[in-house]
Amino acid sequence: PVIPPFILFMCATTWWALCYAVQLARADLATQVLITTIEYPAIATAPVAWLLVVLCYTGHEHLLTWRNIAALFIIPVTVVILVATNPYHFLYYTIFTPATVYGATVWNFAHGPLFWIQAGYGYLCLVLAFLLIASRFLTTPAIYRQQIIVLFLAAGIPVLANIAFLMEIVPFPGIDITPFTFTLMGTVIAFGIFRFRLFSLMPVAYPVIFTAIDDAIIVL
């Protein structure tokens, strides 16, 4: 069950990184605004997709009904519409100011009041995901704890990068370092898949099997 939301999450982060690369390669404001509009479905989807991944990993996939998934995507869809219509209200991005970083032109998008709706909702999804993962840490065998540490590291790297960007404490003003960290995140997840059988050996398997089976079991 974890594979479809995981594919959705990786597609979202990949699209986010590709679009941001195009943004950095172009200097005109019109292209910047257009690419941001194309990019935002991925930005809005990534936190929700990660929450779906964690829900499946922790054995709560029964909650992922079509109704619940649709409810989780109400705010992301609304945000995408707000970004697309921003030139008519300027409540998501208010001011666009150019800056020069190592000879390249970078546009700073000043955040409007509606921007923080997406930011708050995205971090709410991430906090819930972290709490779900942490709740499994002390009640699972050692190999699952190693998987959980991998998940913490994988999710923590881009989260810390995004917080640094929002707080404007990044070394390059105006450049969002979050997309660059997806490479590190993917490397950590790949290590977890090949070393600790992440997503193929699930912590929910033990209680499910031994509470449902009626046969005798011999452990060799």
Side-chain angles (χ1 to χ4, degrees):
V2 75
I3 298 305
F6 181 67
I7 292 175
L8 175 64
F9 174 75
M10 294 306 295
C11 288
T13 55
T14 301
W15 185 249
W16 185 351
L18 287 173
C19 288
Y20 196 67
V22 175
Q23 279 187 282
L24 293 179
R26 301 300 298 267
D28 59 294
L29 179 59
T31 302
Q32 295 281 326
V33 173
L34 175 62
I35 297 300
T36 298
T37 304
I38 298 174
E39 174 187 36
Y40 239 88
I43 297 176
T45 296
V48 180
W50 182 252
L51 177 60
L52 298 180
V53 169
V54 172
L55 283 170
C56 290
Y57 178 79
T58 54
H60 297 90
E61 65 270 12
H62 62 279
L63 298 176
L64 302 186
T65 63
W66 286 111
R67 178 178 296 179
N68 290 342
I69 293 175
L72 286 173
F73 276 97
I74 289 176
I75 291 181
V77 170
T78 303
V79 165
V80 170
I81 295 173
L82 291 174
V83 173
T85 59
N86 189 73
Y88 300 101
H89 51 73
F90 291 101
L91 294 176
Y92 201 89
Y93 291 120
T94 56
I95 302 174
F96 309 95
T97 55
T100 302
V101 179
Y102 290 105
T105 300
V106 177
W107 287 88
N108 296 317
F109 288 29
H111 302 144
L114 296 182
F115 170 86
W116 300 106
I117 297 176
Q118 163 60 19
Y121 182 70
Y123 278 102
L124 176 62
C125 291
L126 294 173
V127 168
L128 289 176
F130 277 119
L131 291 176
L132 286 169
I133 297 173
S135 67
R136 292 284 181 173
F137 186 80
L138 298 177
T139 59
T140 56
I143 188 171
Y144 300 129
R145 294 180 187 178
Q146 294 166 339
Q147 290 181 353
I148 290 171
I149 291 173
V150 167
L151 288 176
F152 266 120
L153 290 175
I157 293 171
V159 168
L160 291 176
N162 191 251
I163 292 175
F165 171 69
L166 293 178
M167 296 181 65
E168 299 181 352
I169 56 176
V170 292
F172 309 108
I175 294 183
D176 185 2
I177 62 175
T178 307
F180 300 106
T181 62
F182 291 143
T183 301
L184 294 175
M185 181 181 189
T187 303
V188 172
I189 291 177
F191 174 77
I193 289 174
F194 291 109
R195 178 64 180 84
F196 301 120
R197 298 175 63 188
L198 183 64
F199 301 146
S200 62
L201 185 65
M202 306 288 284
V204 73
Y206 176 86
V208 169
I209 291 175
F210 285 92
T211 57
I213 196 168
D214 293 326
D215 300 308
I217 299 172
I218 299 175
V219 180
L220 302 179

